[in-house]
């Protein structure tokens, strides 16, 4: 919660993003909140004595832009990737890339029940079950690739991609130095962020034509 002192009457303002309060949906905010749409955000505001409480939530357009749908499932991507990624859908495969570095995928989703888990460079990160459809999320740990095979990606590009893959929660130079010293534990911050911030794969409903009604 972010607080600022107000006017001469001693009033103060407290504000935060909805996910800081673990509010998943606007329905969790009561009718006593005043809602204002401001670009990418919806602002929920409520007065309580001398305190103004404000909760910011991403608007429907942002949520929709981060929901990717294949022919059999859909996934929700992190808010931190808004306006920073490019996505492509090929049948049942969804690929997410860094908009500024489109050669490097942040993660890929595919329908599979394979037990293959890959290797430390490119690995199976998470398994989902979308109805009867098994979905897997894979990711290349570009920080590791840059350190172990510098010809495949530059350090600058790897830093940018890793920043998105971890939500900016790690120091790239530190991870890179650890890898070169033989310690690869830092790269798993990528796994932690993707698992925590990508919504579970959900089944896509397909509706057939309505049956004709006899008269």
């Amino acid at each position: 919660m972010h607080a600022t002192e107000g006017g001469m009457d001693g009033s103060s303002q407290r504000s935060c993003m909805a996910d800081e309060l673990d509010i998943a949906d606007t329905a969790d905010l009561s009718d006593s909140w005043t809602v204002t749409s401001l670009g990418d955000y919806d602002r929920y505001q409520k007065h309580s004595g001398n305190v103004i409480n404000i909760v910011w939530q991403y608007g429907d357009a942002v949520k929709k832009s981060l929901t990717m749908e294949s022919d059999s499932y859909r996934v929700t991507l992190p808010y931190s990737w808004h306006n920073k990624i490019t996505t492509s859908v090929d049948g049942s495969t969804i690929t997410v890339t860094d908009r500024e570095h489109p050669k490097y995928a942040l993660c890929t989703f595919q329908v599979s029940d394979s037990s293959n888990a890959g290797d430390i460079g490119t690995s199976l990160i998470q398994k989902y079950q979308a109805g009867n459809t098994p979905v897997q999320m894979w990711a290349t740990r570009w920080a590791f690739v840059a350190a172990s095979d510098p010809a495949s990606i530059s350090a600058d590009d790897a830093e940018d991609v890793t920043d998105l893959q971890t939500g900016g929660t790690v120091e790239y130079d530190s991870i890179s130095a650890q890898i070169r010293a033989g310690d690869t534990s830092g790269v798993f911050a990528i796994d932690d962020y993707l698992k925590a911030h990508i919504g579970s794969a959900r089944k896509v409903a397909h509706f057939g034509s309505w049956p004709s009604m006899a008269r």
Side-chain angles (χ1 to χ4, degrees):
M1 185 71 74
H2 316 290
T4 57
E5 293 299 324
M8 297 180 63
D9 60 355
S11 63
S12 62
Q13 174 178 300
R14 301 183 301 183
S15 66
C16 67
M17 288 298 295
D19 54 4
E20 294 181 70
L21 297 179
D22 196 26
I23 296 175
D25 191 89
T26 54
D28 294 328
L29 297 174
S30 70
D31 294 337
S32 60
W33 294 76
T34 301
V35 186
T36 305
S37 294
L38 300 168
D40 288 341
Y41 303 92
D42 291 333
R43 183 183 67 191
Y44 291 77
Q45 182 172 311
K46 180 173 68 173
H47 289 263
S48 179
N50 287 338
V51 176
I52 301 174
N53 293 301
I54 298 175
V55 174
W56 295 90
Q57 194 166 57
Y58 286 104
D60 290 342
V62 174
K63 296 175 185 177
K64 184 176 180 180
S65 73
L66 292 170
T67 300
M68 301 297 110
E69 186 172 303
S70 76
D71 57 6
S72 55
Y73 65 92
R74 66 170 62 92
V75 293
T76 303
L77 304 176
Y79 285 126
S80 64
W81 290 0
H82 178 50
N83 287 334
K84 298 178 181 179
I85 60 172
T86 300
T87 60
S88 62
V89 180
D90 182 8
S92 61
T93 300
I94 298 174
T95 303
V96 185
T97 58
D98 181 347
R99 180 173 292 181
E100 294 187 359
H101 306 288
K103 293 191 297 183
Y104 310 119
L106 302 179
C107 60
T108 301
F109 303 88
Q110 60 190 35
V111 173
S112 175
D113 59 0
S114 171
S115 59
N116 174 34
D119 54 38
I120 192 169
T122 300
S123 294
L124 169 62
I125 305 298
Q126 184 75 294
K127 292 182 178 181
Y128 307 99
Q129 193 67 33
N132 294 324
T133 303
V135 180
Q136 297 183 351
M137 173 173 60
W138 285 71
T140 296
R141 302 182 182 95
W142 292 108
F144 176 83
V145 174
S148 59
D149 184 16
S152 63
I153 182 173
S154 70
D156 287 343
D157 288 355
E159 181 174 4
D160 290 345
V161 176
T162 301
D163 187 64
L164 284 177
Q165 287 184 310
T166 61
T169 59
V170 301
E171 177 61 46
Y172 176 80
D173 290 341
S174 176
I175 289 181
S176 182
Q178 286 179 353
I179 296 170
R180 291 194 298 272
D183 178 5
T184 59
S185 61
V187 300
F188 296 104
I190 294 170
D191 305 41
D192 295 339
Y193 184 80
L194 295 179
K195 289 178 181 178
H197 292 87
I198 290 181
S200 298
R202 297 181 180 180
K203 181 180 179 181
V204 173
H206 296 286
F207 299 97
S209 58
W210 290 98
S212 59
M213 297 181 65
R215 293 181 179 274

